[in-house]
Amino acid sequence: MIYYVDDKDVPGLPWSPARVLTDLFEEIDRMSAVVGARGKLPYIGMIRDMAYPFIGIDDDGVFHWIAIERNIEVGHRQTADRGEILYWALEDTTSVLASNWKLEHPRRGQEQRVTGWIRQFDLLYKLNPAWAQRCRQELADTLVDVPDTGIPPLPGPV
């Protein structure tokens, strides 16, 4: 069974799924404040349609990252690693922020997706430089139409 932040304590479990999720969400919210996204995370404390991701936890302490679109599950990843679920949450958050930012800050002569990547790498770098590197590598591994030189470099130390 997958539990969510508003579920009550589960008899027989030596730990509280609601407490673990609340602690996780507080950490995500604190980290989100660094990039200007505090309180803007759709998946905290609620299950939503329209493919907004949300987080649950099962009896074994495995986190579930789930997206539902029109009552159909369209995405589901799972991990027992707290650092991994934090990365997923902040990578998603910075992606949304960067998508909005690129529309408001077009750069002459630069593709919008590149503008967005630069912004996302910058935001992730502020949170954890290794996350920015990972995001860039995942992008390079995914995009077969873009040579590595077409993906912007990571920002330098702040």
Side-chain angles (χ1 to χ4, degrees):
M1 171 142 187
I2 298 175
Y3 306 102
Y4 305 98
V5 74
D6 53 353
D7 287 335
K8 304 289 184 231
D9 285 344
V10 181
L13 276 182
W15 53 278
S16 166
R19 182 75 253 155
V20 170
L21 290 172
T22 298
D23 291 347
L24 175 69
F25 295 153
E26 287 172 358
E27 185 171 0
I28 291 169
D29 194 49
R30 276 192 305 277
M31 294 181 82
S32 295
V34 173
V35 294
R38 175 168 258 160
K40 297 179 183 176
L41 308 175
Y43 47 82
I44 290 185
M46 65 180 66
I47 298 171
R48 287 183 62 183
D49 204 326
M50 298 177 59
Y52 286 106
F54 55 91
I55 299 170
I57 193 167
D58 66 23
D59 294 327
D60 296 322
V62 173
F63 295 105
H64 294 259
W65 177 269
I66 304 168
I68 294 177
E69 172 71 31
R70 299 179 195 162
N71 292 321
I72 297 171
E73 188 176 286
V74 294
H76 191 152
R77 294 187 279 177
Q78 38 191 322
T79 182
D81 184 339
R82 183 182 177 92
E84 185 72 359
I85 198 76
L86 284 171
Y87 171 75
W88 293 347
L90 278 302
E91 187 278 334
D92 182 71
T93 298
T94 58
S95 176
V96 171
L97 291 172
S99 288
N100 294 334
W101 192 86
K102 73 182 180 187
L103 297 175
E104 297 168 5
H105 301 87
R107 299 228 171 127
R108 174 173 245 169
Q110 186 174 77
E111 289 183 55
Q112 279 191 336
R113 66 182 183 168
V114 173
T115 304
W117 295 337
I118 291 168
R119 181 65 173 172
Q120 184 177 21
F121 297 161
D122 181 53
L123 295 172
L124 281 171
Y125 195 91
K126 289 176 184 174
L127 295 168
N128 182 334
W131 286 357
Q133 178 60 48
R134 177 178 171 182
C135 181
R136 188 182 187 283
Q137 187 60 54
E138 288 172 351
L139 185 63
D141 293 345
T142 303
L143 297 176
V144 294
D145 65 323
V146 178
D148 188 59
T149 55
I151 299 172
L154 296 175
V158 268

